Amino acid sequence: MGSDKGKKQKLGEVKEENNGTEHIDGELVLSVEKLQEIQDELEKINEEASEKVLEVEQKYNELRKPVYDKRNDVIKSIPDFWLTAFLSHPAFSELLTEEDQKIFRYLSSLEVEDSKDVKSGYTITFNFNPNPFFEDTKLTKTFTFLEEGTTKITATSIKWKAGMGISNTVAEEKKGNKRSHAEESFFTWFSDSQQKDDVDEIHDEIADLIKDDIWPNPLTYFFDEADEEDSDMDGGDEFWFFSAFILYVDIALRSSLYCSSDSKSLARKKGSDGSEDDDDQDDEDDDGDEDNN
Amino acid sequence: MGADKGKKQKVGEVEEENNGAEQIDGELVLSIEKLQEIQDELEKINEEASEKVLEVEQKYNEIRKPVYDKRNDIIKSIPDFWLTAFFSHPALSELLTDEDQKIFKYLSSLEVEDFKDVKSGYSITFNFSPNPYFEDTKLTKTFTFLDEGTKITATSIKWKEGMGIPNGVAEQTKGNKRPHHAEESFFTWFNDTQHKEDIDEIHDEVAEIIKDDLWSNPLTYFNNEADEEDFEIDDDEDKASDGSEDDEEEEEEEEEGDGDE
């Protein structure tokens, strides 16, 4: 019984040379086989669990849809809502150059939609009103989760109008502006598409931000902006509404007055004092001075 | 109507000085209120979804339990199973010093168990046979998910005399050619506990690897090792590079049963 041969013979003979314990080895193999069966069983259970979880997610996605549609309608009556929410988001606002901010004024709505089966992917769409920057009215970025575990990313190829979309140059010109602004245009995000599956774990942080943070509850950020500026205020919702409006209307108005590249106005709003319109700082008690006319 | 005062009056009157658009503002407030209601509605839907998902997870955890128990019984008849699996895991093996390797020979089993409701936490237990290193036969690390963060508790190892001085011992056996050895003992993992909830996102990578990777399918790693090498871990002799003696599994596929001569 050549030890080598014994070992290589068939499943069931292992490490004879160590102890000549074929008997145990045979049992060993059997145990390993049984173990494999159990792992297979566990795998089936896990797959079933994943399917059930997916079903739940699909079901609730269907439930959410009409609510999101309803929300979209309400948002339509709040001009510059998405603009405000984006600018108020601490991380997102850092991604917008001065030029981007001007472009965002034409943003009419945001849409995030999962594929019907949820697991195949999702799409983020920015809807814009006709604007002087690009021809498109819809900028979309789609993430498709493929079988092999990679993600395919496709996005709208922006049709910039003449002289537009040269973000870098424009950003530099406005360097003097105090408002935090990015170096590179946010819109390059639409160019970051992967046609190859080089990177398995593509981590599109902006997409995550929009899908998991802003889209689920943009109202938080809408209010946050107001909160930030008047941090000493802790009044109730009423006050927040109030401050939010000050800010909101401020943006809305600048929007309509915004015919020239007056970036200073924006800077002022978020500037250190924020005191022009936001006399809220004095309004802590909400009662105000009443109208003593 | 002093502009300032107008603004301070009540929610709904804003920025008179700019355009006097009180009417629009009133509608605005209504819209925002409606929006808030919708967000509340969404939140309820999300909570319900989370609960349903949790129910599924709880249900399948119950289904898995007896299977894990069955698995544990079978593993008992495979000597050094967990030891081998641990060493075969590319990441975990890097965490073991030579001394750790010796200690791991006394590892009898590994257990990972979720709390009954799944969401509250889980624990990882290393069961050891009586050994010359520490008094304990069970080393456990528990993760409890609290609202304010994760609480981590672990067994305070009762090292025997002269044991548990990882650095000192590790250096002595530096000569060992085996590639996998860490500087710091793996057992310090049991010291990494958090009683405060300073860090919300406590990221215990070792725990994650054990729970999500090794525990789910240790056989994958066990088989890998068998392919590579003998079962000996710290014996220098058998670290023969060819590893051709026992790893006939690769060749077994062809079932070249010559039969015993």
Side-chain angles (χ1 to χ4, degrees):
Chain A
M1 268 188 321
S3 36
D4 283 327
K5 284 205 210 102
K7 261 177 285 160
K8 292 184 169 62
Q9 271 181 14
K10 47 180 186 177
L11 212 61
E13 304 200 21
V14 177
K15 298 215 307 186
E16 274 188 14
E17 65 180 359
N18 290 322
N19 276 328
T21 46
E22 302 94 349
H23 177 63
I24 293 178
D25 292 345
E27 284 181 20
L28 212 59
V29 176
L30 260 154
S31 295
V32 174
E33 281 178 351
K34 275 197 227 152
L35 190 48
Q36 184 60 63
E37 282 170 28
I38 291 186
Q39 289 299 148
D40 292 341
E41 196 180 336
L42 281 170
E43 198 178 320
K44 258 186 29 206
I45 295 175
N46 292 342
E47 278 172 14
E48 212 179 290
S50 295
E51 273 175 39
K52 290 282 183 273
V53 168
L54 190 64
E55 277 172 30
V56 172
E57 289 174 356
Q58 287 165 350
K59 169 186 171 189
Y60 281 85
N61 252 37
E62 286 297 305
L63 284 175
R64 280 186 205 99
K65 217 178 173 319
V67 185
Y68 279 133
D69 289 343
K70 203 170 45 172
R71 182 175 82 171
N72 199 34
D73 282 336
V74 174
I75 285 176
K76 280 184 184 149
S77 55
I78 306 174
D80 286 331
F81 176 82
W82 285 112
L83 169 64
T84 310
F86 273 114
L87 289 178
S88 313
H89 191 286
F92 205 88
S93 52
E94 302 284 320
L95 300 171
L96 301 172
T97 62
E98 289 296 323
E99 182 82 346
D100 290 339
Q101 287 172 25
K102 286 187 219 160
I103 302 176
F104 260 62
R105 293 193 171 286
Y106 294 89
L107 178 65
S108 68
S109 73
L110 175 74
E111 270 162 39
V112 175
E113 197 163 352
D114 281 298
S115 56
K116 192 154 172 75
D117 65 356
V118 179
K119 61 176 178 169
S120 303
Y122 64 96
T123 302
I124 295 176
T125 304
F126 285 77
N127 293 302
F128 284 88
N129 293 324
N131 63 81
F133 301 93
F134 41 73
E135 306 285 351
D136 316 80
T137 49
K138 220 179 180 50
L139 297 185
T140 302
K141 192 161 181 180
T142 304
F143 298 81
T144 310
F145 307 139
L146 305 168
E147 286 292 326
E148 54 266 29
T150 54
T151 304
K152 185 173 92 167
I153 305 181
T154 50
T156 311
S157 203
I158 305 178
K159 298 182 202 61
W160 293 98
K161 290 186 176 170
M164 296 298 166
I166 313 169
S167 36
N168 291 333
T169 319
V170 184
E172 280 171 65
E173 285 177 25
K174 305 264 184 290
K175 241 197 271 208
N177 195 305
K178 284 205 203 85
R179 187 181 182 81
S180 55
H181 64 274
E183 292 301 316
E184 192 184 51
S185 169
F186 162 74
F187 292 91
T188 55
W189 180 63
F190 292 95
S191 319
D192 297 339
S193 48
Q194 297 277 344
Q195 301 299 337
K196 290 200 208 306
D197 332 276
D198 309 81
V199 186
D200 274 38
E201 294 178 34
I202 288 171
H203 210 54
D204 191 322
E205 289 189 20
I206 293 179
D208 287 344
L209 211 84
I210 296 174
K211 180 181 201 292
D212 301 333
D213 210 3
I214 297 180
W215 175 252
N217 194 348
L219 194 55
T220 322
Y221 298 106
F222 187 87
F223 284 154
D224 267 359
E225 168 105 317
D227 256 6
E228 251 177 63
E229 302 218 353
D230 318 295
S231 48
D232 42 354
M233 313 307 188
D234 55 16
D237 284 346
E238 256 183 26
F239 184 77
W240 286 359
F241 273 113
F242 180 58
S243 318
F245 278 120
I246 298 280
L247 213 57
Y248 151 77
V249 177
D250 183 35
I251 293 180
L253 283 165
R254 293 182 199 289
S255 177
S256 52
L257 296 170
Y258 205 83
C259 32
S260 59
S261 45
D262 182 13
S263 45
K264 285 201 296 279
S265 53
L266 260 181
R268 232 182 13 184
K269 178 180 68 62
K270 212 163 167 73
S272 41
D273 53 347
S275 56
E276 319 87 83
D277 309 311
D278 310 88
D279 345 347
D280 331 321
Q281 287 159 10
D282 307 323
D283 301 358
E284 295 188 28
D285 35 346
D286 258 20
D287 40 22
D289 304 332
E290 302 314 297
D291 33 346
N292 18 350
N293 35 350
Chain B
M1 266 189 324
D4 286 327
K5 296 193 201 109
K7 259 181 288 168
K8 293 182 175 56
Q9 271 185 7
K10 45 177 186 175
V11 180
E13 305 201 15
V14 176
E15 301 277 354
E16 273 189 9
E17 62 182 1
N18 288 322
N19 272 331
E22 300 96 348
Q23 190 191 36
I24 294 177
D25 292 346
E27 284 178 18
L28 224 50
V29 176
L30 262 154
S31 295
I32 299 242
E33 283 177 348
K34 273 195 230 155
L35 190 48
Q36 185 60 64
E37 280 169 28
I38 291 182
Q39 289 299 149
D40 293 340
E41 195 179 338
L42 281 171
E43 198 178 321
K44 260 188 23 208
I45 295 177
N46 292 341
E47 277 171 13
E48 213 179 289
S50 295
E51 274 174 38
K52 290 280 182 275
V53 168
L54 191 63
E55 277 171 31
V56 173
E57 289 174 357
Q58 287 165 350
K59 170 185 171 190
Y60 280 86
N61 252 37
E62 288 297 304
I63 294 177
R64 280 187 206 101
K65 216 177 174 320
V67 184
Y68 279 133
D69 289 342
K70 208 169 42 171
R71 182 175 83 171
N72 199 35
D73 282 337
I74 293 178
I75 283 175
K76 281 181 183 150
S77 55
I78 304 175
D80 290 332
F81 176 81
W82 285 112
L83 169 61
T84 310
F86 216 89
F87 277 113
S88 314
H89 192 288
L92 293 173
S93 55
E94 300 286 321
L95 301 174
L96 303 171
T97 62
D98 291 325
E99 180 81 347
D100 290 340
Q101 290 172 23
K102 291 191 208 150
I103 302 176
F104 261 62
K105 284 222 162 266
Y106 294 89
L107 178 65
S108 67
S109 74
L110 177 72
E111 269 163 41
V112 174
E113 198 163 350
D114 283 298
F115 288 5
K116 195 157 171 75
D117 66 355
V118 178
K119 61 176 179 170
S120 302
Y122 65 96
S123 64
I124 295 176
T125 303
F126 286 75
N127 293 303
F128 285 87
S129 307
N131 63 82
Y133 301 94
F134 40 73
E135 307 285 351
D136 315 81
T137 49
K138 220 180 179 49
L139 298 183
T140 303
K141 191 162 182 181
T142 304
F143 298 81
T144 310
F145 306 139
L146 304 165
D147 281 334
E148 55 269 29
T150 303
K151 185 173 91 165
I152 305 180
T153 50
T155 311
S156 202
I157 305 177
K158 299 184 200 64
W159 293 97
K160 288 184 174 169
E161 188 114 7
M163 297 299 167
I165 312 167
N167 290 333
V169 183
E171 282 170 62
Q172 281 172 32
T173 47
K174 238 198 272 208
N176 196 305
K177 283 211 201 81
R178 190 176 181 84
H180 315 302
H181 70 276
E183 293 300 317
E184 191 184 50
S185 170
F186 167 78
F187 293 91
T188 55
W189 180 62
F190 292 94
N191 301 339
D192 296 338
T193 54
Q194 297 276 346
H195 294 286
K196 287 201 209 307
E197 295 87 9
D198 312 74
I199 308 173
D200 272 47
E201 294 179 33
I202 287 170
H203 213 54
D204 191 322
E205 288 187 24
V206 174
E208 282 175 16
I209 294 175
I210 294 175
K211 180 182 201 290
D212 300 334
D213 209 4
L214 188 67
W215 175 252
S216 328
N217 194 347
L219 188 56
T220 322
Y221 299 105
F222 179 85
N223 284 339
N224 275 351
E225 166 94 334
D227 275 351
E228 278 171 39
E229 236 178 304
D230 310 336
F231 287 107
E232 283 80 358
I233 308 291
D234 49 348
D235 293 6
D236 298 351
E237 319 97 70
D238 308 55
K239 268 203 306 293
S241 41
D242 53 347
S244 56
E245 301 104 356
D246 306 2
D247 308 299
E248 63 286 14
E249 285 186 34
E250 293 153 11
E251 306 165 28
E252 280 166 34
E253 295 168 24
E254 310 129 45
E255 305 260 309
E256 29 169 290
D258 297 311
D260 287 328
E261 252 105 278

